[in-house]
Amino acid sequence: MLVSAVLRLSDINALVPDDLANGDLLGRKSRPLTFDECFDLAMLQSEIILANEDADTMAKRVEAWLSFVSDQGSQYDTGDVGTAVSVRMLEMQRHVYKRRGCDCTVQDIRAENQWKIRYPNITVPPRDTRCNIAQPKPCKTELYVTPTGRKAFNLMCSGGDVTSLGGRFKNSKHRGSVCRFNHNNDPRLFLAPAKEEEINTAEPYMIRIHDFISDHDIEQFKMLGIPILKPGKITTDNKRVVDYHRRVSAAEELTDYHHTLPLVKKLRSRFEAVSGLNVNTETAEPINLFNYGHSGFIYFHTDYLVNRTEEENNRMATIIVYANDVDGGETLFPLINTKVEPIKGTAFLFYHKKRSGENEVHSLHGACPVLTGEKIILREHVNTFGQEFKRPCLQDTSL
């Protein structure tokens, strides 16, 4: 997992091996790595590329690590280390060409010939299949090209402007600009109104509520949830699966017993007051606690379940409570070029269904890797059924 974290951070932030080997992670200082550690890191990263079907877009980063170790290795060992690294580079290169359907093409053979020139004293490992050298075909795909979604994710997490990619990535037309005290016509907020910060007024509607939860209650929730955490899962319509390429976290639903506790009832009551929705065990899913440790992240996804019709019950809104401050871990909305930072004690509410019942595609979101510390959140999904009088349907599909 640690090696995957280094590879992910290197890919997102375009980190060079020399800086990491010297203990410099985006200006955060740590101890330098030994040569043996650099060697193991490079070889384990290359194993990730060889084992994972969707990791070949990161191969160029691993090639940089292998080249770095190969150059450094000449100071320590000119024999076995150099041979192991250079052969691994060829294996990885062949794997990437094969994954893209480009093995034995003009580009593949040319790359292998360049390898032979660079390492004339190393025997070329045999191929799985023999190539027709006389009449090679050209490769029709581009190698090492990052898919658009991953490119947008990396760009936003590294502080870039996702609108530079064009296409569907645009600035929001409904950017919020108001901070206010709001009692929402709810008696629970008359004496202590919610401190609301508008982030987006539509497509999707998004607000942050400051001072939503006390430090004492945060610690109580940690005591409840952290002992039962398990690897975080990706939820689809029919199953929940662990997918470390799209999410790295620990998570667990609070149990039925937990939801009878005054602490949890108090939180749900607060959810209801600030959102104006029905948030109970019949109209919302169980509250989840998540712990995103170092390099913990989740890739772009929607909270609504895509295969359900407008007549079926579906998730309508999400409420996230941030339980601590953290370096990194921002929540991203790429289609409206919006980034929400984790701030301890705040709640973040956004809708992923329109008032017409249609899915709000602009609610596509993800979370950047955590750089230092850990990001702990509480999350509540509020469902559509049970909100008929709280958020009535409207014909206008833009709302």
Side-chain angles (χ1 to χ4, degrees), residues 223-254:
M223 291 175 60
L224 281 180
I226 288 179
I228 60 174
L229 291 178
K230 300 173 185 175
K233 298 181 179 182
I234 300 293
T235 302
T236 65
D237 283 295
N238 300 315
K239 60 183 179 179
R240 298 179 70 210
V241 296
V242 176
D243 185 347
Y244 291 117
H245 307 304
R246 296 183 62 81
R247 162 175 263 159
V248 174
S249 68
E252 192 53 61
E253 292 179 349
L254 300 186

PDB file of all heavy atoms in Angstrom, residues 223-254:
ATOM      1  N   MET A 223     -14.479   7.455  18.706  1.00  0.00           N
ATOM      2  CA  MET A 223     -14.474   6.306  19.619  1.00  0.00           C
ATOM      3  C   MET A 223     -15.481   5.253  19.177  1.00  0.00           C
ATOM      4  O   MET A 223     -15.248   4.048  19.319  1.00  0.00           O
ATOM      5  CB  MET A 223     -14.791   6.775  21.038  1.00  0.00           C
ATOM      6  CG  MET A 223     -13.688   7.621  21.668  1.00  0.00           C
ATOM      7  SD  MET A 223     -14.154   8.269  23.294  1.00  0.00           S
ATOM      8  CE  MET A 223     -14.459   6.771  24.203  1.00  0.00           C
ATOM      9  N   LEU A 224     -16.607   5.698  18.591  1.00  0.00           N
ATOM     10  CA  LEU A 224     -17.611   4.749  18.112  1.00  0.00           C
ATOM     11  C   LEU A 224     -17.165   4.020  16.857  1.00  0.00           C
ATOM     12  O   LEU A 224     -17.311   2.804  16.728  1.00  0.00           O
ATOM     13  CB  LEU A 224     -18.918   5.488  17.791  1.00  0.00           C
ATOM     14  CG  LEU A 224     -19.861   5.876  18.910  1.00  0.00           C
ATOM     15  CD1 LEU A 224     -21.070   6.582  18.328  1.00  0.00           C
ATOM     16  CD2 LEU A 224     -20.293   4.647  19.690  1.00  0.00           C
ATOM     17  N   GLY A 225     -16.623   4.793  15.898  1.00  0.00           N
ATOM     18  CA  GLY A 225     -16.432   4.241  14.566  1.00  0.00           C
ATOM     19  C   GLY A 225     -15.082   3.654  14.249  1.00  0.00           C
ATOM     20  O   GLY A 225     -14.980   2.654  13.533  1.00  0.00           O
ATOM     21  N   ILE A 226     -14.004   4.248  14.774  1.00  0.00           N
ATOM     22  CA  ILE A 226     -12.669   3.822  14.364  1.00  0.00           C
ATOM     23  C   ILE A 226     -12.378   2.357  14.711  1.00  0.00           C
ATOM     24  O   ILE A 226     -11.758   1.645  13.907  1.00  0.00           O
ATOM     25  CB  ILE A 226     -11.601   4.774  14.950  1.00  0.00           C
ATOM     26  CG1 ILE A 226     -11.662   6.122  14.210  1.00  0.00           C
ATOM     27  CG2 ILE A 226     -10.206   4.177  14.859  1.00  0.00           C
ATOM     28  CD1 ILE A 226     -10.686   7.165  14.705  1.00  0.00           C
ATOM     29  N   PRO A 227     -12.805   1.838  15.865  1.00  0.00           N
ATOM     30  CA  PRO A 227     -12.498   0.427  16.164  1.00  0.00           C
ATOM     31  C   PRO A 227     -13.119  -0.575  15.182  1.00  0.00           C
ATOM     32  O   PRO A 227     -12.671  -1.726  15.128  1.00  0.00           O
ATOM     33  CB  PRO A 227     -13.079   0.243  17.573  1.00  0.00           C
ATOM     34  CG  PRO A 227     -13.089   1.606  18.162  1.00  0.00           C
ATOM     35  CD  PRO A 227     -13.419   2.517  17.021  1.00  0.00           C
ATOM     36  N   ILE A 228     -14.141  -0.183  14.424  1.00  0.00           N
ATOM     37  CA  ILE A 228     -14.810  -1.148  13.535  1.00  0.00           C
ATOM     38  C   ILE A 228     -14.523  -0.880  12.056  1.00  0.00           C
ATOM     39  O   ILE A 228     -15.164  -1.457  11.184  1.00  0.00           O
ATOM     40  CB  ILE A 228     -16.336  -1.140  13.762  1.00  0.00           C
ATOM     41  CG1 ILE A 228     -16.930   0.253  13.493  1.00  0.00           C
ATOM     42  CG2 ILE A 228     -16.677  -1.599  15.167  1.00  0.00           C
ATOM     43  CD1 ILE A 228     -18.456   0.282  13.569  1.00  0.00           C
ATOM     44  N   LEU A 229     -13.526  -0.025  11.770  1.00  0.00           N
ATOM     45  CA  LEU A 229     -13.243   0.322  10.381  1.00  0.00           C
ATOM     46  C   LEU A 229     -12.716  -0.868   9.591  1.00  0.00           C
ATOM     47  O   LEU A 229     -11.966  -1.698  10.096  1.00  0.00           O
ATOM     48  CB  LEU A 229     -12.223   1.465  10.325  1.00  0.00           C
ATOM     49  CG  LEU A 229     -12.695   2.838  10.799  1.00  0.00           C
ATOM     50  CD1 LEU A 229     -11.559   3.839  10.733  1.00  0.00           C
ATOM     51  CD2 LEU A 229     -13.868   3.319   9.957  1.00  0.00           C
ATOM     52  N   LYS A 230     -13.115  -0.909   8.305  1.00  0.00           N
ATOM     53  CA  LYS A 230     -12.663  -1.928   7.357  1.00  0.00           C
ATOM     54  C   LYS A 230     -12.284  -1.227   6.059  1.00  0.00           C
ATOM     55  O   LYS A 230     -12.606  -0.046   5.883  1.00  0.00           O
ATOM     56  CB  LYS A 230     -13.786  -2.934   7.094  1.00  0.00           C
ATOM     57  CG  LYS A 230     -14.272  -3.666   8.343  1.00  0.00           C
ATOM     58  CD  LYS A 230     -15.493  -4.500   8.023  1.00  0.00           C
ATOM     59  CE  LYS A 230     -16.063  -5.142   9.284  1.00  0.00           C
ATOM     60  NZ  LYS A 230     -17.330  -5.871   9.009  1.00  0.00           N
ATOM     61  N   PRO A 231     -11.612  -1.924   5.126  1.00  0.00           N
ATOM     62  CA  PRO A 231     -11.261  -1.277   3.849  1.00  0.00           C
ATOM     63  C   PRO A 231     -12.481  -0.683   3.166  1.00  0.00           C
ATOM     64  O   PRO A 231     -13.538  -1.315   3.081  1.00  0.00           O
ATOM     65  CB  PRO A 231     -10.663  -2.418   3.023  1.00  0.00           C
ATOM     66  CG  PRO A 231     -10.098  -3.348   4.040  1.00  0.00           C
ATOM     67  CD  PRO A 231     -11.055  -3.284   5.209  1.00  0.00           C
ATOM     68  N   GLY A 232     -12.364   0.577   2.701  1.00  0.00           N
ATOM     69  CA  GLY A 232     -13.472   1.257   2.039  1.00  0.00           C
ATOM     70  C   GLY A 232     -13.846   0.574   0.741  1.00  0.00           C
ATOM     71  O   GLY A 232     -13.000  -0.013   0.058  1.00  0.00           O
ATOM     72  N   LYS A 233     -15.129   0.655   0.385  1.00  0.00           N
ATOM     73  CA  LYS A 233     -15.632  -0.031  -0.807  1.00  0.00           C
ATOM     74  C   LYS A 233     -16.312   0.940  -1.759  1.00  0.00           C
ATOM     75  O   LYS A 233     -16.795   1.990  -1.358  1.00  0.00           O
ATOM     76  CB  LYS A 233     -16.617  -1.135  -0.404  1.00  0.00           C
ATOM     77  CG  LYS A 233     -15.989  -2.222   0.471  1.00  0.00           C
ATOM     78  CD  LYS A 233     -16.989  -3.300   0.819  1.00  0.00           C
ATOM     79  CE  LYS A 233     -16.346  -4.386   1.675  1.00  0.00           C
ATOM     80  NZ  LYS A 233     -17.294  -5.479   1.997  1.00  0.00           N
ATOM     81  N   ILE A 234     -16.348   0.548  -3.026  1.00  0.00           N
ATOM     82  CA  ILE A 234     -17.092   1.272  -4.048  1.00  0.00           C
ATOM     83  C   ILE A 234     -18.468   0.633  -4.151  1.00  0.00           C
ATOM     84  O   ILE A 234     -18.590  -0.581  -4.320  1.00  0.00           O
ATOM     85  CB  ILE A 234     -16.383   1.193  -5.413  1.00  0.00           C
ATOM     86  CG1 ILE A 234     -14.974   1.802  -5.316  1.00  0.00           C
ATOM     87  CG2 ILE A 234     -17.200   1.889  -6.486  1.00  0.00           C
ATOM     88  CD1 ILE A 234     -14.951   3.284  -5.064  1.00  0.00           C
ATOM     89  N   THR A 235     -19.519   1.424  -4.036  1.00  0.00           N
ATOM     90  CA  THR A 235     -20.883   0.906  -4.082  1.00  0.00           C
ATOM     91  C   THR A 235     -21.468   1.078  -5.474  1.00  0.00           C
ATOM     92  O   THR A 235     -21.450   2.162  -6.043  1.00  0.00           O
ATOM     93  CB  THR A 235     -21.781   1.637  -3.073  1.00  0.00           C
ATOM     94  OG1 THR A 235     -21.219   1.491  -1.771  1.00  0.00           O
ATOM     95  CG2 THR A 235     -23.184   1.053  -3.070  1.00  0.00           C
ATOM     96  N   THR A 236     -21.983  -0.027  -6.046  1.00  0.00           N
ATOM     97  CA  THR A 236     -22.717   0.027  -7.302  1.00  0.00           C
ATOM     98  C   THR A 236     -24.163  -0.322  -6.994  1.00  0.00           C
ATOM     99  O   THR A 236     -24.562  -0.454  -5.834  1.00  0.00           O
ATOM    100  CB  THR A 236     -22.130  -0.961  -8.323  1.00  0.00           C
ATOM    101  OG1 THR A 236     -22.313  -2.297  -7.837  1.00  0.00           O
ATOM    102  CG2 THR A 236     -20.639  -0.711  -8.533  1.00  0.00           C
ATOM    103  N   ASP A 237     -24.980  -0.520  -8.034  1.00  0.00           N
ATOM    104  CA  ASP A 237     -26.394  -0.805  -7.797  1.00  0.00           C
ATOM    105  C   ASP A 237     -26.613  -2.125  -7.071  1.00  0.00           C
ATOM    106  O   ASP A 237     -27.528  -2.260  -6.282  1.00  0.00           O
ATOM    107  CB  ASP A 237     -27.152  -0.828  -9.129  1.00  0.00           C
ATOM    108  CG  ASP A 237     -27.412   0.578  -9.637  1.00  0.00           C
ATOM    109  OD1 ASP A 237     -28.158   1.303  -8.974  1.00  0.00           O
ATOM    110  OD2 ASP A 237     -26.848   0.955 -10.674  1.00  0.00           O
ATOM    111  N   ASN A 238     -25.780  -3.109  -7.358  1.00  0.00           N
ATOM    112  CA  ASN A 238     -26.046  -4.446  -6.855  1.00  0.00           C
ATOM    113  C   ASN A 238     -25.004  -4.970  -5.875  1.00  0.00           C
ATOM    114  O   ASN A 238     -25.209  -6.013  -5.268  1.00  0.00           O
ATOM    115  CB  ASN A 238     -26.147  -5.429  -8.027  1.00  0.00           C
ATOM    116  CG  ASN A 238     -27.261  -5.059  -8.978  1.00  0.00           C
ATOM    117  OD1 ASN A 238     -28.363  -4.745  -8.539  1.00  0.00           O
ATOM    118  ND2 ASN A 238     -26.983  -5.078 -10.271  1.00  0.00           N
ATOM    119  N   LYS A 239     -23.877  -4.302  -5.730  1.00  0.00           N
ATOM    120  CA  LYS A 239     -22.837  -4.862  -4.872  1.00  0.00           C
ATOM    121  C   LYS A 239     -21.894  -3.772  -4.401  1.00  0.00           C
ATOM    122  O   LYS A 239     -21.860  -2.678  -4.935  1.00  0.00           O
ATOM    123  CB  LYS A 239     -22.051  -5.941  -5.622  1.00  0.00           C
ATOM    124  CG  LYS A 239     -21.364  -5.423  -6.882  1.00  0.00           C
ATOM    125  CD  LYS A 239     -20.661  -6.549  -7.630  1.00  0.00           C
ATOM    126  CE  LYS A 239     -19.996  -6.042  -8.899  1.00  0.00           C
ATOM    127  NZ  LYS A 239     -19.302  -7.102  -9.628  1.00  0.00           N
ATOM    128  N   ARG A 240     -21.125  -4.108  -3.360  1.00  0.00           N
ATOM    129  CA  ARG A 240     -20.071  -3.236  -2.870  1.00  0.00           C
ATOM    130  C   ARG A 240     -18.759  -3.990  -3.005  1.00  0.00           C
ATOM    131  O   ARG A 240     -18.620  -5.112  -2.542  1.00  0.00           O
ATOM    132  CB  ARG A 240     -20.311  -2.854  -1.407  1.00  0.00           C
ATOM    133  CG  ARG A 240     -21.591  -2.075  -1.181  1.00  0.00           C
ATOM    134  CD  ARG A 240     -21.774  -1.757   0.287  1.00  0.00           C
ATOM    135  NE  ARG A 240     -20.791  -0.780   0.725  1.00  0.00           N
ATOM    136  CZ  ARG A 240     -20.331  -0.732   1.970  1.00  0.00           C
ATOM    137  NH1 ARG A 240     -20.723  -1.608   2.852  1.00  0.00           N
ATOM    138  NH2 ARG A 240     -19.453   0.194   2.317  1.00  0.00           N
ATOM    139  N   VAL A 241     -17.804  -3.384  -3.664  1.00  0.00           N
ATOM    140  CA  VAL A 241     -16.545  -4.058  -3.939  1.00  0.00           C
ATOM    141  C   VAL A 241     -15.378  -3.189  -3.484  1.00  0.00           C
ATOM    142  O   VAL A 241     -15.451  -1.964  -3.497  1.00  0.00           O
ATOM    143  CB  VAL A 241     -16.391  -4.384  -5.446  1.00  0.00           C
ATOM    144  CG1 VAL A 241     -17.456  -5.362  -5.892  1.00  0.00           C
ATOM    145  CG2 VAL A 241     -16.465  -3.103  -6.287  1.00  0.00           C
ATOM    146  N   VAL A 242     -14.298  -3.828  -3.072  1.00  0.00           N
ATOM    147  CA  VAL A 242     -13.067  -3.120  -2.748  1.00  0.00           C
ATOM    148  C   VAL A 242     -12.312  -2.880  -4.045  1.00  0.00           C
ATOM    149  O   VAL A 242     -12.073  -3.800  -4.812  1.00  0.00           O
ATOM    150  CB  VAL A 242     -12.200  -3.940  -1.772  1.00  0.00           C
ATOM    151  CG1 VAL A 242     -10.865  -3.236  -1.525  1.00  0.00           C
ATOM    152  CG2 VAL A 242     -12.935  -4.156  -0.461  1.00  0.00           C
ATOM    153  N   ASP A 243     -11.952  -1.644  -4.324  1.00  0.00           N
ATOM    154  CA  ASP A 243     -11.230  -1.286  -5.547  1.00  0.00           C
ATOM    155  C   ASP A 243     -10.169  -0.258  -5.170  1.00  0.00           C
ATOM    156  O   ASP A 243     -10.438   0.931  -5.083  1.00  0.00           O
ATOM    157  CB  ASP A 243     -12.195  -0.722  -6.594  1.00  0.00           C
ATOM    158  CG  ASP A 243     -11.511  -0.444  -7.923  1.00  0.00           C
ATOM    159  OD1 ASP A 243     -10.269  -0.459  -7.957  1.00  0.00           O
ATOM    160  OD2 ASP A 243     -12.217  -0.211  -8.921  1.00  0.00           O
ATOM    161  N   TYR A 244      -8.939  -0.728  -4.951  1.00  0.00           N
ATOM    162  CA  TYR A 244      -7.881   0.145  -4.452  1.00  0.00           C
ATOM    163  C   TYR A 244      -7.398   1.133  -5.509  1.00  0.00           C
ATOM    164  O   TYR A 244      -6.633   2.035  -5.204  1.00  0.00           O
ATOM    165  CB  TYR A 244      -6.709  -0.683  -3.944  1.00  0.00           C
ATOM    166  CG  TYR A 244      -7.025  -1.449  -2.686  1.00  0.00           C
ATOM    167  CD1 TYR A 244      -6.998  -2.840  -2.663  1.00  0.00           C
ATOM    168  CD2 TYR A 244      -7.358  -0.781  -1.511  1.00  0.00           C
ATOM    169  CE1 TYR A 244      -7.295  -3.541  -1.509  1.00  0.00           C
ATOM    170  CE2 TYR A 244      -7.663  -1.470  -0.345  1.00  0.00           C
ATOM    171  CZ  TYR A 244      -7.630  -2.853  -0.358  1.00  0.00           C
ATOM    172  OH  TYR A 244      -7.928  -3.542   0.784  1.00  0.00           O
ATOM    173  N   HIS A 245      -7.822   0.942  -6.779  1.00  0.00           N
ATOM    174  CA  HIS A 245      -7.425   1.888  -7.813  1.00  0.00           C
ATOM    175  C   HIS A 245      -8.373   3.083  -7.861  1.00  0.00           C
ATOM    176  O   HIS A 245      -8.062   4.093  -8.482  1.00  0.00           O
ATOM    177  CB  HIS A 245      -7.391   1.202  -9.187  1.00  0.00           C
ATOM    178  CG  HIS A 245      -6.560  -0.048  -9.174  1.00  0.00           C
ATOM    179  ND1 HIS A 245      -5.251  -0.042  -8.785  1.00  0.00           N
ATOM    180  CD2 HIS A 245      -6.867  -1.334  -9.475  1.00  0.00           C
ATOM    181  CE1 HIS A 245      -4.767  -1.293  -8.872  1.00  0.00           C
ATOM    182  NE2 HIS A 245      -5.728  -2.060  -9.269  1.00  0.00           N
ATOM    183  N   ARG A 246      -9.548   2.974  -7.226  1.00  0.00           N
ATOM    184  CA  ARG A 246     -10.510   4.063  -7.251  1.00  0.00           C
ATOM    185  C   ARG A 246     -10.772   4.641  -5.861  1.00  0.00           C
ATOM    186  O   ARG A 246     -11.270   5.736  -5.734  1.00  0.00           O
ATOM    187  CB  ARG A 246     -11.830   3.576  -7.861  1.00  0.00           C
ATOM    188  CG  ARG A 246     -11.692   3.151  -9.313  1.00  0.00           C
ATOM    189  CD  ARG A 246     -13.037   2.745  -9.887  1.00  0.00           C
ATOM    190  NE  ARG A 246     -13.980   3.845  -9.885  1.00  0.00           N
ATOM    191  CZ  ARG A 246     -14.021   4.797 -10.797  1.00  0.00           C
ATOM    192  NH1 ARG A 246     -13.155   4.800 -11.781  1.00  0.00           N
ATOM    193  NH2 ARG A 246     -14.918   5.759 -10.727  1.00  0.00           N
ATOM    194  N   ARG A 247     -10.477   3.875  -4.830  1.00  0.00           N
ATOM    195  CA  ARG A 247     -10.649   4.385  -3.464  1.00  0.00           C
ATOM    196  C   ARG A 247      -9.635   3.728  -2.538  1.00  0.00           C
ATOM    197  O   ARG A 247      -9.450   2.511  -2.572  1.00  0.00           O
ATOM    198  CB  ARG A 247     -12.059   4.115  -2.939  1.00  0.00           C
ATOM    199  CG  ARG A 247     -12.163   4.211  -1.412  1.00  0.00           C
ATOM    200  CD  ARG A 247     -13.587   4.064  -0.898  1.00  0.00           C
ATOM    201  NE  ARG A 247     -14.171   5.376  -0.672  1.00  0.00           N
ATOM    202  CZ  ARG A 247     -15.474   5.620  -0.623  1.00  0.00           C
ATOM    203  NH1 ARG A 247     -16.324   4.637  -0.815  1.00  0.00           N
ATOM    204  NH2 ARG A 247     -15.918   6.834  -0.411  1.00  0.00           N
ATOM    205  N   VAL A 248      -8.986   4.522  -1.701  1.00  0.00           N
ATOM    206  CA  VAL A 248      -8.134   4.011  -0.633  1.00  0.00           C
ATOM    207  C   VAL A 248      -8.584   4.677   0.652  1.00  0.00           C
ATOM    208  O   VAL A 248      -8.374   5.882   0.841  1.00  0.00           O
ATOM    209  CB  VAL A 248      -6.640   4.290  -0.895  1.00  0.00           C
ATOM    210  CG1 VAL A 248      -5.816   3.874   0.311  1.00  0.00           C
ATOM    211  CG2 VAL A 248      -6.163   3.538  -2.136  1.00  0.00           C
ATOM    212  N   SER A 249      -9.243   3.915   1.498  1.00  0.00           N
ATOM    213  CA  SER A 249      -9.740   4.442   2.768  1.00  0.00           C
ATOM    214  C   SER A 249     -10.126   3.279   3.652  1.00  0.00           C
ATOM    215  O   SER A 249     -10.144   2.121   3.229  1.00  0.00           O
ATOM    216  CB  SER A 249     -10.975   5.339   2.536  1.00  0.00           C
ATOM    217  OG  SER A 249     -12.072   4.559   2.080  1.00  0.00           O
ATOM    218  N   ALA A 250     -10.437   3.589   4.909  1.00  0.00           N
ATOM    219  CA  ALA A 250     -11.084   2.643   5.808  1.00  0.00           C
ATOM    220  C   ALA A 250     -12.447   3.220   6.139  1.00  0.00           C
ATOM    221  O   ALA A 250     -12.596   4.431   6.302  1.00  0.00           O
ATOM    222  CB  ALA A 250     -10.258   2.427   7.070  1.00  0.00           C
ATOM    223  N   ALA A 251     -13.463   2.356   6.203  1.00  0.00           N
ATOM    224  CA  ALA A 251     -14.826   2.867   6.373  1.00  0.00           C
ATOM    225  C   ALA A 251     -15.696   1.833   7.072  1.00  0.00           C
ATOM    226  O   ALA A 251     -15.394   0.637   7.064  1.00  0.00           O
ATOM    227  CB  ALA A 251     -15.436   3.209   5.010  1.00  0.00           C
ATOM    228  N   GLU A 252     -16.767   2.310   7.672  1.00  0.00           N
ATOM    229  CA  GLU A 252     -17.764   1.412   8.231  1.00  0.00           C
ATOM    230  C   GLU A 252     -19.059   2.170   8.499  1.00  0.00           C
ATOM    231  O   GLU A 252     -19.032   3.351   8.871  1.00  0.00           O
ATOM    232  CB  GLU A 252     -17.271   0.758   9.523  1.00  0.00           C
ATOM    233  CG  GLU A 252     -18.152  -0.396   9.991  1.00  0.00           C
ATOM    234  CD  GLU A 252     -18.371  -1.445   8.903  1.00  0.00           C
ATOM    235  OE1 GLU A 252     -17.402  -2.048   8.433  1.00  0.00           O
ATOM    236  OE2 GLU A 252     -19.546  -1.639   8.523  1.00  0.00           O
ATOM    237  N   GLU A 253     -20.181   1.496   8.262  1.00  0.00           N
ATOM    238  CA  GLU A 253     -21.482   2.051   8.624  1.00  0.00           C
ATOM    239  C   GLU A 253     -21.680   1.935  10.126  1.00  0.00           C
ATOM    240  O   GLU A 253     -21.295   0.932  10.736  1.00  0.00           O
ATOM    241  CB  GLU A 253     -22.602   1.286   7.914  1.00  0.00           C
ATOM    242  CG  GLU A 253     -22.654   1.459   6.421  1.00  0.00           C
ATOM    243  CD  GLU A 253     -23.789   0.652   5.809  1.00  0.00           C
ATOM    244  OE1 GLU A 253     -24.384  -0.184   6.533  1.00  0.00           O
ATOM    245  OE2 GLU A 253     -24.072   0.844   4.615  1.00  0.00           O
ATOM    246  N   LEU A 254     -22.255   2.974  10.717  1.00  0.00           N
ATOM    247  CA  LEU A 254     -22.679   2.852  12.102  1.00  0.00           C
ATOM    248  C   LEU A 254     -23.842   1.880  12.164  1.00  0.00           C
ATOM    249  O   LEU A 254     -24.714   1.870  11.289  1.00  0.00           O
ATOM    250  CB  LEU A 254     -23.071   4.212  12.671  1.00  0.00           C
ATOM    251  CG  LEU A 254     -21.958   5.278  12.680  1.00  0.00           C
ATOM    252  CD1 LEU A 254     -22.438   6.528  13.397  1.00  0.00           C
ATOM    253  CD2 LEU A 254     -20.685   4.757  13.324  1.00  0.00           C
TER     254      LEU A 254
END
